Amino acid sequence: MASKGDPRVHFVMNVILSAAFVYVALVGLDFVGAAEFTLQTYLIATAVLVVLTHVLVR
């Protein structure tokens, strides 16, 4: 039976990948004028994506 891995590593990977995805998405939305890129928007969107990913994967 295969190991599921260390949950701490999964969490860190989730945060890094979510932050990268949100960055790219917000830069694109800012470029087309659909949303403004701010640190607050970036942090909130990253937190929402981390939680959403965690809930959906479980």
Side-chain angles (χ1 to χ4, degrees), residues 30-51:
D30 189 38
F31 180 73
V32 298
E36 184 178 352
F37 187 94
T38 63
L39 181 60
Q40 183 179 7
T41 306
Y42 175 70
L43 294 176
I44 290 171
T46 300
V48 167
L49 188 58
V50 167
V51 170

Side-chain angles (χ1 to χ4, degrees), residues 3-32:
S3 171
K4 291 186 177 183
D6 190 354
R8 295 171 295 187
V9 174
H10 289 201
F11 177 74
V12 171
M13 286 177 54
N14 185 10
V15 170
I16 291 170
L17 293 173
S18 294
F21 179 80
V22 168
Y23 178 80
V24 170
L26 282 178
V27 167
L29 289 172
D30 189 38
F31 180 73
V32 298

